[in-house]
């Protein structure tokens, strides 16, 4: 038995020793569309099939591309733990559209339930950078957080897509809402390395 339908996978190892695989099912062939999670055995390759569940469904307007208003897209999951909460970020809409962007949901557990955070998407297009998505977060040795993602080649041509790297951070509003901020992103030019 195998997970032959999975796409855009991301493994996440929790500090309690449990391991998880996040992936999406394709909206046209794999259905029902969405981002799923399944717990893995300690060998990190054997799924615990009884644990699989859908944790993100396309249900917000920005997650629906202009070419298909009936079936939305959520894909490319990435998990980040921050202050004891689990933040599942993902790409939404049609990657060929300018407004393809990044959404975020939060949970107390790697298995959900996940609640989408307001003000979505948290990274979207600008007048000079279209289609930011399919991302990954990483930290530098000094603890700074960065995001790597792709954008369209330019505002009229999709391919070849460009790799972008920008500084990112978690922030909390005066109302206690946590979000991820991307410094100046999306960008399409070299960015200075922060000194602090």
């Amino acid at each position: 038995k195998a997970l032959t339908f999975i796409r855009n996978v991301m493994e996440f190892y929790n500090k309690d020793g449990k391991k998880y695989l996040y992936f999406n099912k394709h909206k046209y062939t794999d259905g029902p569309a969405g981002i799923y999670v399944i717990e893995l055995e300690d060998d990190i390759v054997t799924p615990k099939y009884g644990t699989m569940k859908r944790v993100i469904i396309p249900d917000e307007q920005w997650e629906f591309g202009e070419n298909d208003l009936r079936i939305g897209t959520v894909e490319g999951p990435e998990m980040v733990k921050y202050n004891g909460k689990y933040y599942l970020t993902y790409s939404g809409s049609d990657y060929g559209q300018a407004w393809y962007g990044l959404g975020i949901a939060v949970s107390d557990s790697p298995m959900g339930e996940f609640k989408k955070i307001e003000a979505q998407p948290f990274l979207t297009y600008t007048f000079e950078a279209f289609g930011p998505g399919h991302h990954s977060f990483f930290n530098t040795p000094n603890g700074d957080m960065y995001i790597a993602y792709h954008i369209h080649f330019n505002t009229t041509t999709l391919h070849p897509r460009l790799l972008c790297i920008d500084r990112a951070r978690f922030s909390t509003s005066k109302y206690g809402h946590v979000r991820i901020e991307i410094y100046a992103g999306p960008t399409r030019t070299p960015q200075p390395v922060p000194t602090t």
Side-chain angles (χ1 to χ4, degrees), residues 2-191:
L3 298 174
T4 57
F5 50 78
I6 65 174
R7 302 167 192 268
N8 302 311
V9 300
M10 188 270 176
E11 287 184 331
F12 175 70
Y13 303 157
N14 203 15
K15 287 187 176 180
D16 64 4
K18 292 185 177 180
K19 302 160 184 69
Y20 303 89
L21 185 72
Y22 296 87
F23 58 93
N24 67 274
K25 288 189 179 185
H26 191 273
K27 62 183 179 180
Y28 297 113
T29 59
D30 303 325
I35 293 176
Y36 290 72
V37 62
I38 192 168
E39 190 176 342
L40 300 174
E41 299 286 0
D42 288 341
D43 64 7
I44 71 170
V45 295
T46 306
K48 295 183 179 181
Y49 287 98
T51 66
M52 188 174 74
K53 62 188 285 192
R54 185 166 62 158
V55 291
I56 300 287
I57 63 172
D59 60 0
E60 296 192 358
Q61 184 175 355
W62 72 273
E63 297 165 348
F64 290 74
E66 68 178 4
N67 297 325
D68 190 341
L69 299 178
R70 296 170 293 109
I71 304 175
T73 298
V74 288
E75 60 186 1
E78 175 82 0
M79 174 62 73
V80 180
K81 189 174 182 181
Y82 175 74
N83 280 354
K85 301 279 189 181
Y86 297 88
Y87 292 88
L88 183 58
T89 58
Y90 60 93
S91 301
S93 187
D94 183 324
Y95 86 96
Q97 305 300 326
W99 55 83
Y100 188 66
L102 298 179
I104 182 172
V106 62
S107 175
D108 293 324
S109 165
M111 295 292 293
E113 302 290 329
F114 283 91
K115 180 180 179 182
K116 293 179 182 178
I117 292 177
E118 294 180 7
Q120 303 272 26
F122 72 89
L123 183 65
T124 188
Y125 72 98
T126 67
F127 70 94
E128 63 177 7
F130 284 3
H134 277 263
H135 62 298
S136 182
F137 293 101
F138 62 95
N139 290 339
T140 59
N142 67 358
D144 289 339
M145 180 176 167
Y146 285 81
I147 182 173
Y149 58 95
H150 68 62
I151 60 171
H152 296 179
F153 183 72
N154 56 39
T155 58
T156 59
T157 305
L158 179 60
H159 296 110
R161 286 177 281 179
L162 304 177
L163 173 66
C164 301
I165 300 175
D166 287 313
R167 194 172 180 188
R169 72 172 182 179
F170 280 94
S171 68
T172 305
S173 74
K174 64 180 180 180
Y175 303 106
H177 300 142
V178 176
R179 62 179 182 234
I180 295 177
E181 294 179 341
I182 310 301
Y183 291 74
T187 60
R188 58 178 302 109
T189 57
Q191 300 297 303

